[in-house]
Amino acid sequence: MRIFALKKYAAAAALSVLCALLPPESAPAAGPPRVVDARPADALNTAFGTYADHDRSPHHWTGGDSTYSVPTPAGELWVFSDTFLGTVRPDGSRSPTVGEGGTTPFLHNSFVLWTARGPRTVTGRDRAGQPASPMTGSDHESWYWARAGIPDGHGVSVVYARYTRTGSGPLDIAWRDNVLARFRAGAYGRAVSVTPLPSSARIAWGAWLESQGGFTYIYGTERTAEGRSHLRLARVAGRDLRRPWQYWTARDVWSGREADAGRLAGPGGALFTSDELSVVRRGSWYALVTQRADVPFSAETQIAWSRSPGGPFTRPRTVYTAPEAGPKGTYRNPNVIAYNPHEHPELERGSRDIVLSYNVNSLAPADVIRRADIYRPRFLRLTLSPY
């Protein structure tokens, strides 16, 4: 549930260094693309709603958040964090969770594998044979939430962040560290290996993974006391995130020390983002998709642009406002929120097409029991101007 000021000559110098160190760009355009149309992706919204509401098997997915995706030979692997399983009642509600005396299994992470034959929920199993998170904590006080994943040549690698609870409220949680879980193709219920990832700088890495020019770029978020995040960047050669990392610094060079990772910049100051996001190359530009960060619980999805993976980025501009959120939203509920948008490049139909998801939830947990359809992703399709 997630710049430093640059004078003109400093920005020019930074861009010169970036051109030498980062993937080559095509001929520059006059300016970044513009979003000329934004609309719900009805087919995706209907597909997930139908699967959640009408599959009657007792252990299938009925809602989740994070909503990362990874293409696999078998189909689309959807990567979720907190997940409700079970069945949705005819009145649109779900039973309370097993932990609250009901029949709804609740997991901290799961997968839905969507093949040509349709969707299938993938979970782990506990000692009693009941559904369990594919990634489980080493104790009862911690759990793993999913970050981004990539194909790794043998299956799928997914970054997970470990969290613990700090209080009784729904937002009383704290990040602890990062790990990489590797899953064999077709066997996503249990990781074949779990490797600790850099965590000493208190950066939640894996908010996005972008492979370009022989490197995988790893974006990490550093949460502030106000609830927004600074963005940082690392990279590895190839796609194996177990290889040595390099970190993009405030001096616009790569360093082998995590402590040197600098905060990425926007125009005239610090760049703030949501906890989950995406940074995808589109021609000679990189599109950063984020939730508006300067307004708590904003329902606005924004895009900023840069010539390179490491910025500096343009000022984020709102491209869509989630209609579900807030007292005037479709649920007429001030506790309903939208959060953490990101892109699904493998589902796009061309260079001017962007497919995004965002999550919907409620700050009042009882709401997502009473209305199961609140807690599931929504999808958008944006159209860009020619570039």
Side-chain angles (χ1 to χ4, degrees), residues 100-173:
E100 296 174 335
T103 61
T104 295
F106 176 80
L107 310 181
H108 283 300
N109 52 81
S110 71
F111 299 111
V112 172
L113 179 61
W114 209 296
T115 71
R117 293 185 292 180
R120 175 171 64 89
T121 301
V122 181
T123 68
R125 287 287 184 267
D126 64 16
R127 293 181 178 179
Q130 296 302 304
S133 302
M135 271 295 297
T136 57
S138 58
D139 55 64
H140 294 297
E141 305 302 320
S142 64
W143 65 91
Y144 287 102
W145 278 340
R147 307 289 270 174
I150 56 170
D152 60 16
H154 302 283
V156 168
S157 291
V158 181
V159 178
Y160 287 90
R162 185 171 67 94
Y163 282 83
T164 58
R165 186 158 293 285
T166 60
S168 58
L171 301 180
D172 293 335
I173 57 174

Side-chain angles (χ1 to χ4, degrees), residues 158-216:
V158 181
V159 178
Y160 287 90
R162 185 171 67 94
Y163 282 83
T164 58
R165 186 158 293 285
T166 60
S168 58
L171 301 180
D172 293 335
I173 57 174
W175 171 91
R176 295 305 183 206
D177 51 36
N178 311 298
V179 300
L180 178 71
R182 298 171 66 242
F183 297 88
R184 186 178 295 111
Y188 303 112
R190 182 177 180 179
V192 296
S193 68
V194 177
T195 306
L197 291 179
S199 302
S200 62
R202 304 196 61 77
I203 299 168
W205 293 106
W208 188 254
L209 303 172
E210 175 73 357
S211 294
Q212 288 290 337
F215 291 94
T216 297

Side-chain angles (χ1 to χ4, degrees), residues 33 42 44-45 59 67 114 117 119 167 207 214 263 276 289 298 300 314 332 354:
D42 292 330
L44 282 166
N45 289 327
H59 294 154
T67 324
W114 209 296
R117 293 185 292 180
R263 294 168 176 170
E276 294 179 13
V289 174
S298 172
E300 298 177 42
T314 64
R332 299 294 188 266
I354 294 182

Side-chain angles (χ1 to χ4, degrees), residues 220-242:
T221 49
E222 171 201 2
R223 197 165 179 83
T224 69
E226 299 78 25
R228 52 190 181 174
S229 295
H230 293 290
L231 187 61
R232 302 189 189 240
L233 177 64
R235 72 178 185 181
V236 298
R239 288 176 171 263
D240 189 345
L241 301 190
R242 299 170 300 172

Side-chain angles (χ1 to χ4, degrees), residues 368-379:
V368 300
I369 299 298
R370 180 179 55 86
R371 290 288 305 268
D373 64 336
I374 293 176
Y375 190 65
R376 62 186 60 151
R378 272 58 169 193
F379 295 89

